[in-house]
């Protein structure tokens, strides 16, 4: 390429060349090394930010795309982390709880968490801050500890949010090529989930608002009638009318 006086590639091919050039020796090194492993491996020329994430599922052992972390509060989902590399979400529990405190001004009274979040360090930190952990206790559980177990049905809402985002909003069909565009797309879908949840509560909020308006109107009518009766009674009193039983 240095022998050309004018760079021969157009911008789109030039970008691919910049991605492809360092990936060739790295991929060759991965193929010839034992075991076959390489950090920050490029698997897509079109999307060099995408990394393979080993999930160990029966159907797809390796997945490609962004790994996100959601927090669910009263049915409203919040996007805590979005990363194109694999990360241990259990090590970020403190940050997620602090995010809750920053949003609402206080710590949550209870945290429903999966097994990966329930390390000894996280358990101690939650206990020191007065937060109840609904999860399987360590060791042989007592009768009181069994009551604090997180039942499978209690985590259905957060699992359902991911299903709603994928099937209803197309989170598993994002076709953006750029990293920032994909992240904005994902954040917009999470915002849409909040709006859908809020739309389901609009009718209830409007009913409370309508009842408050009706209550104020009723009070105003009663006060007006009371003033009219009071003025009439005052007039009769001044006229000298006396009633006796």
């Amino acid at each position: 390429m240095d022998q050309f006086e004018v760079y021969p590639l157009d911008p789109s091919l030039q970008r691919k060349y910049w991605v492809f050039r360092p990936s060739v020796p790295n991929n060759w090194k991965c193929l010839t090394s034992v075991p076959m492993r390489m950090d920050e491996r490029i698997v897509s020329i079109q999307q060099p930010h995408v990394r393979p994430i080993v999930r160990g599922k029966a159907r797809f052992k390796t997945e490609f795309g962004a790994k996100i972390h959601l927090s669910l509060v009263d049915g409203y989902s919040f996007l805590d982390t979005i990363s194109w590399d694999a990360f241990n979400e259990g090590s970020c529990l403190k940050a997620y709880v602090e995010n809750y405190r920053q949003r609402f001004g206080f710590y949550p009274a209870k945290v429903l968490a999966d097994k990966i979040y329930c390390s000894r360090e996280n358990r101690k930190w939650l206990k020191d801050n007065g937060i109840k952990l609904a999860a399987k206790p360590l060791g042989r559980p007592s009768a009181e500890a069994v009551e604090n177990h997180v039942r499978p049905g209690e985590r259905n809402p957060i699992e359902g949010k991911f299903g709603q985002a994928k099937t209803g909003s197309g989170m598993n069909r994002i076709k953006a090529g750029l990293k920032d565009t994909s992240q904005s797309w994902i954040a917009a879908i999470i915002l849409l989930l909040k709006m859908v949840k809020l739309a389901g509560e609009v009718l209830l909020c409007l009913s409370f608002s309508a009842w408050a308006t009706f209550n104020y109107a009723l009070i105003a009518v009663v006060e007006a009638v009371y003033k009219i009766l009071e003025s009439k009674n005052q007039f009769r009193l001044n006229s000298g009318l006396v009633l006796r039983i």
Side-chain angles (χ1 to χ4, degrees):
M1 290 295 179
D2 297 336
Q3 296 178 0
F4 290 93
E5 296 181 359
V6 179
Y7 202 79
L9 300 179
D10 58 74
S12 61
L13 291 178
Q14 181 178 349
R15 178 178 178 273
K16 295 179 182 178
Y17 172 72
W18 286 345
V19 174
F20 183 74
R21 184 176 179 179
S23 66
V24 172
N26 292 337
N27 288 335
W28 177 256
K29 181 180 178 181
C30 177
L31 291 174
T32 56
S33 62
V34 179
M36 294 178 55
R37 176 181 175 84
M38 183 184 67
D39 296 332
E40 300 297 327
R41 180 184 177 188
I42 297 176
V43 295
S44 174
I45 302 299
Q46 299 290 343
Q47 296 176 307
H49 56 277
V50 174
R51 299 287 182 268
I53 300 178
V54 179
R55 300 297 301 274
K57 296 182 179 179
R59 187 178 179 183
F60 301 107
K61 294 184 178 180
T62 304
E63 295 181 349
F64 301 88
K67 183 176 181 179
I68 67 174
H69 184 278
L70 289 183
S71 297
L72 194 66
V73 181
D74 295 333
Y76 293 93
S77 53
F78 297 89
L79 181 61
D80 292 321
T81 304
I82 176 170
S83 174
W84 298 92
D85 297 309
F87 64 92
N88 183 9
E89 55 268 29
S91 61
C92 304
L93 175 66
K94 299 178 184 178
Y96 301 148
V97 176
E98 290 294 342
N99 289 342
Y100 182 98
R101 183 184 182 185
Q102 185 177 3
R103 294 187 185 109
F104 303 103
F106 51 86
Y107 283 123
K110 185 179 181 180
V111 172
L112 280 74
D114 204 355
K115 183 178 179 181
I116 194 173
Y117 299 92
C118 302
S119 63
R120 294 182 182 273
E121 182 182 357
N122 289 339
R123 291 173 184 269
K124 183 179 183 304
W125 186 84
L126 292 174
K127 184 177 180 180
D128 293 342
N129 288 277
I131 303 173
K132 184 179 179 181
L133 176 63
K136 183 178 180 180
L138 297 175
R140 186 175 181 179
S142 60
E144 182 180 357
V146 171
E147 299 179 356
N148 295 332
H149 283 191
V150 53
R151 299 174 177 83
E154 294 183 85
R155 297 195 74 253
N156 285 344
I158 187 65
E159 300 295 342
K161 282 298 177 181
F162 279 98
Q164 182 183 1
K166 291 180 179 179
T167 59
S169 304
M171 182 176 284
N172 58 342
R173 300 186 299 273
I174 294 178
K175 299 180 180 180
L178 299 179
K179 178 179 179 181
D180 293 340
T181 308
S182 300
Q183 294 180 176
S184 300
W185 197 329
I186 294 172
I189 291 177
I190 302 303
L191 176 61
L192 179 61
L193 296 180
K194 293 181 182 179
M195 296 176 65
V196 171
K197 173 63 177 177
L198 184 61
E201 299 182 355
V202 167
L203 184 60
L204 181 62
C205 296
L206 290 177
S207 62
F208 279 110
S209 179
W211 170 252
T213 303
F214 175 76
N215 190 22
Y216 293 146
L218 183 62
I219 293 175
V221 170
V222 172
E223 290 180 351
V225 172
Y226 178 78
K227 290 182 179 180
I228 293 174
L229 294 177
E230 185 180 16
S231 61
K232 289 183 177 180
N233 290 335
Q234 184 68 25
F235 176 76
R236 291 176 182 177
L237 182 61
N238 294 334
S239 64
L241 180 62
V242 178
L243 299 177
R244 294 183 62 183
I245 298 179

